[in-house]
Amino acid sequence: MKLNRAFLCLPVLLLGCQHPPAASATQPSRPTTTDASILRVFMWSDYIDPQVVRAFERAKGVRVVIDTYESNESMLAKLQGGGASYDLANPSNYFIRPMLRAKLLQPLQTRLLSNFRNVAPGFLSPAYDPGNVYTVPYQYAATGLAYNAARFVPKSQSWNLIFGPSDTLKFVLLDDPREVIGAALKFLGYSVNSTAVPELRAARDLLRRVVAKHGFLGFDGGPGIRNRLLAGDIDLGQIYVGDLLQGAAENPGLRVFLPREGTTISTDTLVILRAAPNPALARAFIDWVLTPRVSAAISNYTSYGNPNSAARPFLDPLLRSDAAFNPPQADLKSGKIEFIEELPAGKPPRLYDRVWSELKSR
Ligand code: SPD
C-alpha cells in the first residue's frame, strides 16, 4: 500500500464515533492473594476493550484484574523487582529475549490454543520467538506525530517540527527510550536500531538541544499525550498511532501522521509469566483473545493493528483500509518504517542507556 500522507488524518475523523475513550475496565489494582479464579494481567494502558474482558469473566466464571504500564522498561523493572504476581504480560517484540534471559517467561504450548491457527502468516514464528514458543502477537502500531487541528495545523509532516531549530511549539515526547532515540536517529537518516557510536552521539547531541527547548514539556505515555492534546496544553506529541485514534471520539480535531523521514513500529505480544499463579487460565484468555470476533472487537476498540487473519472480516472497514492497520509494505521493505529490534549486548546499548538517563535527568 502506498503511504498516503492523509491516510491517518481521515480515519481519525471518521472513526471518531466508534467508541468512548478506553480506560474503564483496566483500573489498576493488585490482588494480594492467589486464587484459581482470578486472572492477573499486566498490560499497556488503554489496550483492550473492557467488554471483551467482562465477556471472558462471564464465560469462565472468573475475575480478571488488569494493571497497566506505559513502557516496556517500567514493565520489566516491576516484574524483576518481584512482589507482583501476574499471569500474563504484554511486552513488545524487542523485550522478549531480555525477558527470556531474565527467566520471566514460560512456554505457551500453542498446541493447546485452538485459535492459534488464526494468527496471520506474517506474524508467525518471528525472529524474536522462533516457533512461537513463548509469544502470540497481540496488536501493533507505528509511532507518529499528533496534533489538534483546532489549535494548530503543521505546515509539514516532518520530525523537523520538533527536532528542527525552531522553538515556537509546545510538545511532549513519549516516555520510551527506543522511541525517542529511534525517532532522532531516523530524523538524522540512520536506522532506529543503529549501534554505530558516531550515529548515537549525533542523536544524543540532537536530543540535548531538543529537550533544552522552551517548548519541550516533558515525557509522557501515549494516553497522557493524547489527553494533553485534547486539553489544548500542547501543539504536538509523539504518540503510538492507536492511542491517538482513540481520542478522536472526544475531539475530531485530533490528527496523526507518520513523519516523512520514516518512523518506528513494534508488535506487542501476549506472554505467560514463569511465576504465573494461574497459567491454565492465562492460556484460556490468550485463546479467547485469538478468537476472530474477540480479536476484531479489541482492535475496533483500541484502533491498533490486528495480526489475526480470521479477524479481518469483523474489523471496522475504515480500520481495515487504514495504514495504521496495514503499514505500507513498501515502507517496511525499504526500512522507512522500521521495527524496533533488540540491541546486541555491549557498548552501544550502554550508550542508549546513558543518553536516556541524561535526557530524563535534565
Ligand atoms: N496504549 C497502548 C500502547 C502500545 C504501545 N506499543 C508499544 C510500543 C513500544 N515502543
Side-chain angles (χ1 to χ4, degrees):
M1 180 188 293
K2 184 172 165 294
L3 178 60
N4 175 347
R5 290 195 299 171
F7 76 94
L8 290 172
C9 299
L10 182 63
V12 169
L13 289 169
L14 298 177
L15 293 169
C17 55
Q18 295 301 304
H19 53 66
S24 54
T26 57
Q27 295 305 315
S29 79
R30 177 151 42 90
T32 49
T33 56
T34 53
D35 181 319
S37 67
I38 299 178
L39 177 71
R40 296 164 179 80
V41 180
F42 197 28
M43 77 187 314
W44 289 88
S45 59
D46 289 5
Y47 216 25
I48 195 160
D49 180 351
Q51 289 191 32
V52 162
V53 178
R54 298 289 88 88
F56 179 78
E57 288 180 324
R58 280 195 301 273
K60 305 285 178 190
V62 297
R63 190 172 144 231
V64 178
V65 177
I66 300 182
D67 280 2
T68 59
Y69 53 84
E70 299 290 1
S71 73
N72 285 299
E73 289 74 15
S74 62
M75 175 270 302
L76 185 58
K78 187 165 180 184
L79 293 179
Q80 286 186 310
S85 59
Y86 296 106
D87 297 293
L88 279 176
N90 183 210
S92 301
N93 53 293
Y94 55 99
F95 262 65
I96 299 305
R97 299 186 77 79
M99 289 180 79
L100 274 172
R101 283 196 296 276
K103 302 201 183 319
L104 286 169
L105 307 183
Q106 64 169 282
L108 285 181
Q109 304 183 62
T110 50
R111 68 179 190 287
L112 301 178
L113 298 172
S114 57
N115 290 302
F116 181 71
R117 60 174 183 267
N118 297 331
V119 174
F123 287 87
L124 285 172
S125 201
Y128 57 84
D129 181 24
N132 289 95
V133 178
Y134 298 97
T135 69
V136 295
Y138 178 63
Q139 296 188 104
Y140 61 87
T143 298
L145 267 182
Y147 58 98
N148 185 345
R151 273 178 57 93
F152 159 75
V153 178
K155 289 198 177 66
S156 68
Q157 297 200 330
S158 165
W159 288 116
N160 192 49
L161 290 160
I162 52 176
F163 293 152
S166 168
D167 190 4
T168 54
L169 299 173
K170 291 184 191 165
F171 64 96
V172 172
L173 295 172
L174 280 167
D175 196 359
D176 183 323
R178 293 299 305 277
E179 295 288 354
V180 170
I181 299 171
L185 286 164
K186 208 67 183 165
F187 175 68
L188 293 168
Y190 306 132
S191 164
V192 304
N193 299 304
S194 175
T195 54
V197 172
E199 295 178 3
L200 286 167
R201 287 195 176 132
R204 175 198 62 194
D205 294 346
L206 169 64
L207 288 168
R208 277 178 179 160
R209 293 194 294 274
V210 170
V211 300
K213 289 184 179 188
H214 290 295
F216 173 63
L217 298 187
F219 299 97
D220 207 340
I225 291 174
R226 179 185 67 222
N227 293 338
R228 289 163 86 161
L229 284 165
L230 277 168
D233 294 341
I234 54 175
D235 301 303
L236 279 168
Q238 183 190 24
I239 199 164
Y240 313 119
V241 167
D243 282 350
L244 189 282
L245 293 173
Q246 289 175 33
E250 288 174 72
N251 187 333
L254 287 186
R255 313 279 166 87
V256 63
F257 61 86
L258 301 185
R260 64 172 183 240
E261 296 88 355
T263 191
T264 54
I265 185 170
S266 41
T267 304
D268 299 317
T269 68
L270 290 176
V271 297
I272 303 180
L273 295 165
R274 179 177 284 229
N278 210 342
L281 191 55
R283 197 171 295 109
F285 185 79
I286 291 175
D287 213 21
W288 177 268
V289 164
L290 290 173
T291 308
R293 283 181 191 275
V294 170
S295 176
I298 293 171
S299 291
N300 288 339
Y301 185 93
T302 63
S303 300
Y304 272 86
N306 187 298
N308 186 320
S309 299
R312 283 193 76 77
F314 308 110
L315 287 175
D316 186 300
L318 292 167
L319 290 178
R320 254 186 284 161
S321 61
D322 189 318
F325 266 62
N326 302 295
Q329 286 305 313
D331 290 337
L332 288 167
K333 217 169 173 177
S334 69
K336 181 173 171 179
I337 299 177
E338 242 182 314
F339 272 91
I340 300 178
E341 287 164 12
E342 187 201 4
L343 298 167
K347 187 175 170 190
R350 287 199 296 276
L351 189 47
Y352 274 82
D353 292 344
R354 278 209 300 277
V355 171
W356 188 244
S357 303
E358 181 188 324
L359 296 174
K360 290 294 297 273
S361 63
R362 65 174 279 278

